Amino acid sequence: MRVEQALRLLPTLEALMPLRGLLLSSARPDERVQWGSGGPYLTVGKRDVEPGELARSMGPVLGDVAKHIGALFGAYVEALERQERNDAPGAVTALVGAGRLEEKVGRLSQALGWYEVALALAETLQDRRPEVETLLATGDVCLELGRYAEGARHYQRALVLSEGEFNQAGAVDASVGLGNTAFERAEWSGARAWYSRALRLTEAGNDRLRLGLIEHRLGLLDRRQGDLAAAGDHLRRARECFEALNGDAALEMARVLDAQGELDAALGRPAPAAGAFREALAWVRRDQHDAGLDVTIRLHLAELLLGTGRWLEAEEEMRRAEQLAITSNQTRGLVQIYTLLGTLRGRQGDETGFVFFEQAIALCRALEGPPIDEARIYQAYGLFRQVCGGPDEARAYLERAGEIFRSLGVDEEVERVAAALRNSHDVNTPAAGAG
Amino acid sequence: MTRPAQTLNGPPSPSRPAIEAVRVLAVGGEAGPGPLQGLRQWAAELGVELEWAADLPRATRLLAGGHWQLVLAVLGDRSDEELTWWVDALRGAAGGPRLVALADRPSMGLALRAEKLGVLDVLALPLKRDALAAALARVRAATTEVAVPLPPIDAEAQGHYALVGQSPAMLEVYKLMARVAHSTATVLILGESGTGKEVVARTIHQHGPASGPFVAVNCAAIPENLLESELFGHEKGAFTGAVARKIGRFEQAGGGTLFLDEIADMSLALQAKILRAVQEREIERVGGGESIPVTVRLIAATNRNLQEAIAQGRFREDLYYRLAVVTIELPRLVDRGDDLLLLIGHFARQFGERYHKQIDALSDRALELLRNHQWVGNVRELRNVIERAAIVVSDGTLRSEHLPDDLRAQEPGVPERTAGVLPTLAEAEARHIARVLSHTGGQIGAAADILGIHRNTLTRKMKEYGL
């Protein structure tokens, strides 16, 4: 049975989300279909799922679910016990711990629920450190969910409290959080001010990890602003910081190398870029394997190949990322992969590529992904329709993307969408001014 | 070693790069005493130029900076995952290095997976000199390939939609095509995946009387819930996401040909609507009440057995008879004899042009590998293999090193993993189970049916053999 048929029989209930995940991750492509004319358009919905195999795989998944819920129950009981012993900071730590467990399995809204409870308790304490910790955790999740304004409020409060308490680490993390929020909203000068502030605070100490993280962010910022030489310097310094940690920062190293790859790509140096991405993948593999990061790096590698016209290799890389995203339940990554596969088909002038955007939208909605993801799909879908026919649809999709970006306050993207819409208008009104 | 050159057209032009030493990158283990102890001392006598990388990131840097022929990678606890990672990491690396995976106690499952992925060998640790020597011999064997010129292709057969092939099976196809092209009869094209059903449909359209466009719809690719609106169109607001009125493919193909590929993948409900469109020659857009007349020639295709689908109640018999006015069955690539060579030549030139390379020869070993391959994906798979080879080839000759790992895994003359020793019953059984599972695309139920055992027995055996 096809996944798309199986999903229709599964109600959208929170309790069944692990089953939904299992259904997707156990789906296999049919080899005959892979080589069929539908093969180039295969998405997870067109994979096969075998009820018997699904039943057999349920045991370990149910075990994981029980373990996760057990850990949440445990955290809650610990919070109660701490509270009874008048150890409210300990109770906050236990509640934040539960939120982090939720984050680890990608349940961001549920994590926010724990943080809200922790925050309410932390606000009653004289010691402000638990509150700072909770505010920072809340800010991070808001950022991940694309709730930028809300995230900024939490970081701002964490900063004020940290500075009042001479909590340098808290102030640095809050500044970085504010910088990240500004970065996501394309507020470059704001982001730079926050990162610079964090850098000043960190340089006084010898915290190589935080220093490396800030240098990395500054590198990303310079790249976005077009100062590629400065970006290269920051990324080199970030790498030096992480190298000094003797392999204890493998994932951070992978992220910096990923950024280096993107920088090399922007500099028109595809070979070093590919080398950096490959090394980044090796760092991910070296440490605790982070499937989400692995998928991200592969997507960047695929974008590089796509940009240099190496379509076959780009598609192979996307398909490898897809396989990894499916087996490791990285649904958000899957959404990005299908958006990119749709873009690839658009470059090839292949109209049937629209199936990838439709699958990305369906996945994004089914899993209640952040609105920024949906906006990006519509943006790419609109551009695809401009090239592959369907001007009315192109306009409608771009307008939808613009609305979402506007609601999130991402002005740079709003402007980009507006430019695409103007372009669409120009293309569709050739008679304008032509007499 | 002198291999007899195969003459395709004219005498072969030998090209034998002399390799004095094999460049080997060893990854993991320790440079000193450890599971790879001895590697350094054997290096000189075995003709190995050895470099050591302590971990993956360093190995990746060395791979990017040099030309390697063999990578010896020590696998850890997650050997299956690591094996896949290595195969992926070496793809496209300069020199097309082969992989030898080293593991403490390699399971049969690991060995079979390695074989499927095209890994040169899986060796047990501690590494033995003879095992390494055998792997090196296989790497060296690949350097004695002889270049053979590719056959010339008829200029007419080089267009985008041209059909390449002169085998008797294809000549039969051409005859049928010629017979139906000048009519407007509905045609059903049958054939395995990748045999060229759409190419045939386009050619029939091009040589037919219809002046309208050729519109192709891939029924297997489009999500079921969208297929109806894709075929018949929709009115604005007919459903969530219907942001504007859409003209369907039936209307788009007006006066021309509508090609419905993979028609067996359509739901019964949609089959009924197609039948109505064929019979009544009119359609209705989704969300619209108006009947719209359509004049199209219909060509349908499938890789499935429609008679079987009818018997199982998955395909409408009345629709089948409407579609199968004329049936053309396309041959599998393995049944097309020397068409394989013509197609290789055709694709090599096509992709040579695309990637700005002059490809005019193929090595004898590469040809042997291509001839021995099963070609599940038929011409589409061959096209993909030659495109990939065209990307990585650096001179004018496609050699075995340019072919995908899974093809190279079938190198003729390559000994079984247990060289010189007959396999045990368990090894033979594991190998056969793996082969059947591969054939069924991993579907346990179907594999159990083929093997004639209960699925629980198969599951137990898979667990036992680490498959």
Side-chain angles (χ1 to χ4, degrees), chain A residues 2 4-5 8 28-43 46 48-53 56 239 243 253 257 275 277-289 294 298 309-313 316-317 320 351-352 354-355 358-359 365 378 381 385 392-393 396-397, chain B residues 55-58 60-61 64 78 81-82 85 88-89 91 193-194 197-198 216 218-226 230 234 240-241 243-246 249 252 261-262 265 303-304 354-355 376-378 380-382 384-385 387-388 391-392 438-446 455-456 459 462:
Chain A
R2 294 272 159 84
E4 60 184 5
Q5 294 166 327
R8 278 204 291 274
R28 291 160 188 261
D30 179 340
E31 199 178 355
R32 285 165 304 178
V33 176
Q34 272 178 308
W35 283 115
S37 54
Y41 313 104
L42 257 187
T43 58
K46 294 285 182 191
D48 284 336
V49 64
E50 220 186 310
E53 206 175 328
R56 276 192 298 280
R239 206 167 148 168
E243 267 169 1
M253 192 70 176
L257 282 162
F277 289 134
R278 294 260 172 237
E279 194 180 336
L281 288 170
W283 280 99
V284 176
R285 171 62 52 183
R286 188 190 137 134
D287 207 58
Q288 197 73 328
H289 186 219
D294 199 321
R298 286 181 192 282
R310 292 158 68 178
W311 292 341
L312 184 73
E313 293 159 274
E316 283 177 353
E317 203 55 59
R320 278 195 282 278
E351 202 196 338
T352 311
F354 82 92
V355 299
E358 292 290 347
Q359 179 74 85
R365 285 187 185 149
Y378 277 119
Y381 200 178
R385 278 290 177 207
D392 293 342
E393 283 165 298
Y397 294 144
Chain B
D55 57 22
L56 294 181
R58 284 179 185 83
T60 315
R61 252 176 266 172
R78 294 173 293 170
E81 267 180 59
E82 288 174 35
W85 189 90
D88 175 23
R91 205 170 273 137
S193 298
K197 294 185 284 291
E198 182 170 342
N218 193 307
C219 304
I222 299 172
E224 271 181 19
N225 57 332
L226 295 177
E230 198 57 29
H234 61 243
T240 316
V243 291
R245 169 188 272 192
K246 181 184 173 80
R249 302 296 179 101
Q252 284 175 27
D261 201 358
E262 307 296 5
D265 282 58
N303 59 5
R304 311 251 169 151
R354 179 179 297 178
Y355 298 109
V376 180
N378 291 291
R380 185 175 288 119
E381 187 184 358
L382 175 67
N384 195 296
V385 164
E387 179 172 7
R388 185 206 279 254
I391 290 170
V392 292
S438 167
H439 174 77
T440 62
Q443 291 186 359
I444 294 173
R455 58 184 306 143
N456 290 348
T459 311
M462 285 168 67

Side-chain angles (χ1 to χ4, degrees), chain B residues 302-318:
Chain B
T302 182
N303 59 5
R304 311 251 169 151
N305 183 336
L306 284 185
Q307 303 285 5
E308 199 178 291
I310 291 167
Q312 291 168 348
R314 289 186 288 109
F315 200 81
R316 292 181 67 112
E317 193 170 10
D318 44 7

Side-chain angles (χ1 to χ4, degrees), chain A residues 348-405:
Chain A
Q348 293 170 327
D350 180 351
E351 202 196 338
T352 311
F354 82 92
V355 299
F356 290 112
F357 295 108
E358 292 290 347
Q359 179 74 85
I361 291 169
L363 280 173
C364 198
R365 285 187 185 149
L367 294 137
E368 293 169 6
I372 189 94
D373 285 358
E374 197 171 336
R376 290 198 197 288
I377 304 168
Y378 277 119
Q379 186 180 20
Y381 200 178
L383 296 173
F384 169 87
R385 278 290 177 207
Q386 280 185 339
V387 178
C388 290
D392 293 342
E393 283 165 298
R395 169 163 291 277
Y397 294 144
L398 287 170
E399 281 171 354
R400 177 83 190 111
E403 276 167 30
I404 303 173
F405 283 133

Side-chain angles (χ1 to χ4, degrees), chain B residues 198-222:
Chain B
E198 182 170 342
V199 182
V200 169
R202 275 185 195 277
T203 312
I204 292 173
H205 167 75
Q206 280 168 350
H207 292 88
S211 56
F214 176 87
V215 174
V217 183
N218 193 307
C219 304
I222 299 172

Side-chain angles (χ1 to χ4, degrees), chain B residues 425-445:
Chain B
L425 188 59
E427 278 175 338
E429 182 175 69
R431 197 174 289 274
H432 185 59
I433 291 174
R435 204 167 286 152
V436 173
L437 281 167
S438 167
H439 174 77
T440 62
Q443 291 186 359
I444 294 173

